[in-house]
Amino acid sequence: MKNFGLYIHIPFCVSKCSYCDFCSFVPNHKQMQDYISALKREIVETGEQTKDKVVTSVYIGGGTPSTLYSGAIVEIMDCVRKNFNLIKNCSVTIEANPNSFDNEQAIEYASIGCTRLSLGLQSDNDKILKVLNRVHNYHDCVNAIEAARLNGMTDINVDLILGVPQQTISDLQVTLSKVVNLPITHISVYGLINEPNTPLTKAIEQGKYTLPPEDEAVDMYNLTVKTLAEHGFYRYEISNFSKIGYRSAHNMNYWRRGEYLGLGLGAHSFINGTHFHNTEDFSKYLDAPANCKEDIEPETLKTAKEETIMLALRTTDGLDITEYNKTFSADFLQEYQPVLNKLLKNNLIEIKNNKLIIKDPYISNSIIAEFF
Ligand SMILES: C[S@@+](CC[C@H](N)C(=O)[O-])C[C@H]1O[C@@H](n2cnc3c(N)ncnc32)[C@H](O)[C@@H]1O
Ligand code: SF4
């Protein structure tokens, strides 16, 4: 096991958004207390096995960590610091919803070294927030950012979403023009994924809503890339944009195929060349939090190579061919010669300083698929 990123999952939300399929539910107080004590057991038992390694970043995500009762995040982070070796100045990110983060949370999180806040805004537009069943508005987000900054949390991400039914290009233009002027360092912009069986997907299938046409979705993405760059938020991954020096350390580790340990309900890990995740069954997790791993899959040479290519090509740094050859004792250019020739001929990729980069990020997924 090498040094690794630590992810901690909090599976609770104030209400469930219409499009979301993440492992989260609306809890009662007892469920939250039971969960925190199980999580602490998992932290202690797992920490024992990683004594000789260093945690390079911590990400407390969800669900919505900021729905927890006051003091819970302190308990978790105290336990983490006692049981894991965190690198000096370790980046600690916490996710919050704009209406469950105020001065009280900001004081609590800042006190235990949370350096980075990630807020799910999605849109400034009440019509779109209603389609998504989000229970906050734009002003909640402005207030949350102010509370964070007042308490020293100045590295702030805001999540937006594209391609929502009823969202027009001019809606998006308004959202972007507001968000680029917020005092934040990072913006993530996700295309709506129509997960099976969510209320929104069902409503679309029943014809109650229609998705924006594909050409509009492309225009929305391109408008986003252009507008954000004009305001100093540079794209470094398909969906991620930052001010210079503010890329997400935790996510960069994922894309470089570094190791990560996920703790909590349903959390995913990649450790010692093996992928696995914890159970998503709440009572099973409470019974055996450190012993509920599922789908344990050791990597093969083929999956390791494919994953390296897929993750690296999502980023603007691209695939480092020298590093690939060193890691796999391989010759990348020879191994993938036919597909590289085809993509170069169609002007879809470029190779510069021995790095392979995709030219048009919107079609990254179909280009990446060519390698498999
Ligand atoms: C899982 S949430 C956790 C943070 C917080 N609960 C929130 O909603 O902001 C992280 C991000 O994933 C996004 N997300 C969840 N389901 C999605 C979907 N089906 N398509 C695109 N983005 C999605 C959310 O909008 C949110 O910005
Ligand atoms: S998008 Fe965030 S707030 Fe909404 S249900 Fe999913 S995890 Fe909870």
Side-chain angles (χ1 to χ4, degrees):
M1 190 174 184
K2 305 178 192 127
N3 295 343
F4 62 99
L6 182 64
Y7 174 79
I8 297 175
H9 191 71
I10 308 297
F12 306 132
C13 293
V14 174
S15 59
K16 197 75 194 168
C17 303
S18 64
Y19 59 101
C20 178
D21 189 31
F22 276 73
C23 174
S24 73
F25 62 94
V26 181
N28 59 39
H29 193 74
K30 165 120 187 7
Q31 285 172 317
M32 288 201 262
Q33 283 178 319
D34 290 348
Y35 186 72
I36 299 304
S37 55
L39 185 58
K40 287 199 295 193
R41 274 165 54 206
E42 191 187 8
I43 293 170
V44 172
E45 287 182 40
T46 320
E48 273 298 307
Q49 299 151 22
T50 64
K51 281 279 174 259
D52 53 335
K53 300 295 167 198
V54 172
V55 174
T56 47
S57 62
V58 177
Y59 196 103
I60 308 175
T64 310
S66 57
T67 42
L68 284 172
Y69 53 86
S70 152
I73 294 290
V74 172
E75 277 185 51
I76 295 167
M77 272 313 290
D78 281 350
C79 191
V80 165
R81 286 186 195 279
K82 273 192 201 124
N83 290 282
F84 288 93
N85 306 314
L86 269 53
I87 201 168
K88 200 166 168 253
N89 299 326
C90 184
S91 132
V92 181
T93 303
I94 189 154
E95 284 183 338
N97 273 18
N99 65 337
S100 59
F101 183 91
D102 59 18
N103 209 37
E104 192 189 324
Q105 274 84 15
I107 291 170
E108 179 180 341
Y109 301 169
S111 77
I112 36 102
C114 281
T115 46
R116 191 167 178 275
L117 177 70
S118 179
L119 289 164
L121 170 63
Q122 320 309 338
S123 171
D124 72 301
N125 185 312
D126 289 344
K127 167 189 78 178
I128 293 160
L129 292 172
K130 198 165 163 220
V131 173
L132 297 173
N133 197 33
R134 301 286 301 189
V135 288
H136 56 80
N137 62 32
Y138 177 68
H139 290 288
D140 294 326
C141 190
V142 173
N143 293 339
I145 291 169
E146 198 182 315
R149 286 172 55 81
L150 273 175
N151 289 286
M153 294 172 81
T154 50
D155 190 359
I156 302 174
N157 168 63
V158 163
D159 283 348
L160 299 179
I161 199 154
L162 289 185
V164 180
Q166 302 197 1
Q167 186 181 34
T168 64
I169 294 199
S170 62
D171 290 335
L172 177 66
Q173 230 153 7
V174 174
T175 305
L176 292 172
S177 67
K178 287 186 182 171
V179 170
V180 291
N181 287 308
L182 291 171
I184 57 175
T185 50
H186 193 284
I187 303 175
S188 299
V189 188
Y190 300 113
L192 175 70
I193 299 168
N194 290 297
E195 301 286 2
N197 298 323
T198 60
L200 184 59
T201 300
K202 282 186 190 149
I204 293 167
E205 283 163 1
Q206 288 160 6
K208 290 185 190 151
Y209 286 125
T210 32
L211 290 166
E214 178 59 23
D215 57 338
E216 256 182 55
V218 178
D219 289 347
M220 284 188 194
Y221 181 79
N222 290 335
L223 174 74
T224 303
V225 175
K226 182 169 170 284
T227 311
L228 295 191
E230 281 165 4
H231 290 83
F233 293 93
Y234 300 106
R235 188 180 74 81
Y236 67 99
E237 192 269 347
I238 300 175
S239 308
N240 285 280
F241 304 78
S242 80
K243 291 259 169 89
I244 289 168
Y246 288 95
R247 290 178 174 193
S248 161
H250 190 79
N251 287 344
M252 284 303 293
N253 178 56
Y254 288 140
W255 298 315
R256 291 190 180 127
R257 209 165 168 271
E259 299 205 325
Y260 51 91
L261 177 65
L263 304 180
L265 189 69
H268 286 246
S269 301
F270 174 56
I271 295 289
N272 289 335
T274 301
H275 288 278
F276 56 90
H277 65 85
N278 280 346
T279 179
E280 290 196 6
D281 181 320
F282 193 63
S283 34
K284 264 195 202 162
Y285 178 76
L286 295 188
D287 283 346
N291 198 12
C292 60
K293 297 177 183 38
E294 294 180 355
D295 299 331
I296 302 170
E297 274 182 35
E299 67 183 2
T300 62
L301 181 61
K302 183 170 181 289
T303 59
K305 283 180 171 179
E306 286 181 356
E307 246 179 53
T308 303
I309 295 169
M310 179 183 75
L311 294 170
L313 290 185
R314 294 184 64 90
T315 68
T316 51
D317 289 346
L319 176 75
D320 186 327
I321 294 171
T322 312
E323 207 174 296
Y324 177 98
N325 289 346
K326 210 167 113 199
T327 308
F328 297 113
S329 306
D331 182 342
F332 178 78
L333 295 179
Q334 201 199 348
E335 205 174 335
Y336 289 97
Q337 195 183 30
V339 60
L340 291 170
N341 284 347
K342 179 177 155 195
L343 295 171
L344 282 166
K345 198 168 139 220
N346 292 320
N347 203 21
L348 295 170
I349 54 168
E350 62 181 333
I351 298 177
K352 235 180 12 195
N353 303 327
N354 233 19
K355 302 247 171 66
L356 169 65
I357 296 160
I358 287 179
K359 285 192 159 181
D360 178 356
Y362 192 81
I363 52 167
S364 297
N365 289 339
S366 58
I367 295 177
I368 290 167
E370 294 276 340
F371 286 87
F372 308 141

